[in-house]
Amino acid sequence: MSVAFRRESDEEHKEPKFEIPLPAGPNLVTARGLAAIEAKVVELEAAIAAETAEEPREVLRRELRYWNTRRTTAEVAPPPEQGVVGIGSRVRIRLAGKERVIDLVGHDEADPHADRLAFSAPLAHALLGAEEGERVDFNGRTEAIEILEVSAIPG
């Protein structure tokens, strides 16, 4: 029989499963973000224990490895100074004549549709360290971002 018709196993023809990529840089989180990571680990451990099929279990294990790494490397960001934008800040800004309220959080908490931006996002990065009442440049625009109010994200 020709070697072309022989197959050792199905495993050799499957696409490799790579680990879930980790965001670059430090894993700075808010206290709420750390709690969410820990809850995700518990949820995945329970799902793995309940799953009977091997393939779905492996998918869950892969996700658990990601969240265990995120939990291990998480550093709770120190609370920002009063009136200064930092991780854990809620910022009311005016940009291009429109007001917007943004929460600055860690990568795993980020949800741009809910105005929760990761500290590494370009807009969030431009705001970090700014003070209430200050104007900061953003993406080389001639119109600056005006910082109207800075407070802690409600817990």
Side-chain angles (χ1 to χ4, degrees):
M1 177 185 251
S2 170
V3 176
F5 294 105
R6 226 179 56 214
R7 187 161 77 185
E8 297 297 321
S9 74
D10 287 336
E11 291 298 314
E12 67 188 64
H13 299 288
K14 288 184 177 179
E15 294 222 8
K17 299 288 186 206
F18 298 104
E19 293 302 315
I20 299 170
L22 297 168
N27 184 13
L28 298 173
V29 298
T30 63
R32 185 174 74 180
L34 181 57
I37 290 170
E38 290 172 346
K40 188 68 174 177
V41 167
V42 169
E43 173 190 323
L44 287 167
E45 287 172 341
I48 289 168
E51 183 58 59
T52 56
E54 190 54 38
E55 197 166 321
R57 280 177 64 117
E58 194 50 46
V59 170
L60 291 168
R61 284 188 194 112
R62 177 178 176 252
E63 193 173 347
L64 180 60
R65 286 190 298 273
Y66 171 86
W67 289 106
N68 273 329
T69 301
R70 298 304 283 168
R71 179 176 62 177
T72 303
T73 60
E75 298 174 43
V76 177
E81 294 178 42
Q82 182 69 29
V84 178
V85 180
I87 298 170
S89 292
R90 174 165 286 170
V91 187
R92 190 167 55 91
I93 64 170
R94 182 176 295 121
L95 175 61
K98 296 179 184 174
E99 284 193 22
R100 184 173 171 191
V101 176
I102 299 168
D103 291 347
L104 273 64
V105 296
H107 292 282
D108 298 315
E109 273 184 280
D111 181 359
H113 298 292
D115 283 329
R116 286 193 312 269
L117 300 182
F119 63 89
S120 60
L123 178 57
H125 190 72
L127 297 172
L128 284 173
E131 296 182 23
E132 208 169 279
E134 191 175 341
R135 290 178 175 268
V136 294
D137 292 330
F138 176 58
N139 269 352
R141 289 186 179 180
T142 54
E143 186 173 353
I145 302 170
E146 184 180 358
I147 314 295
L148 303 172
E149 183 180 359
V150 179
S151 60
I153 298 173

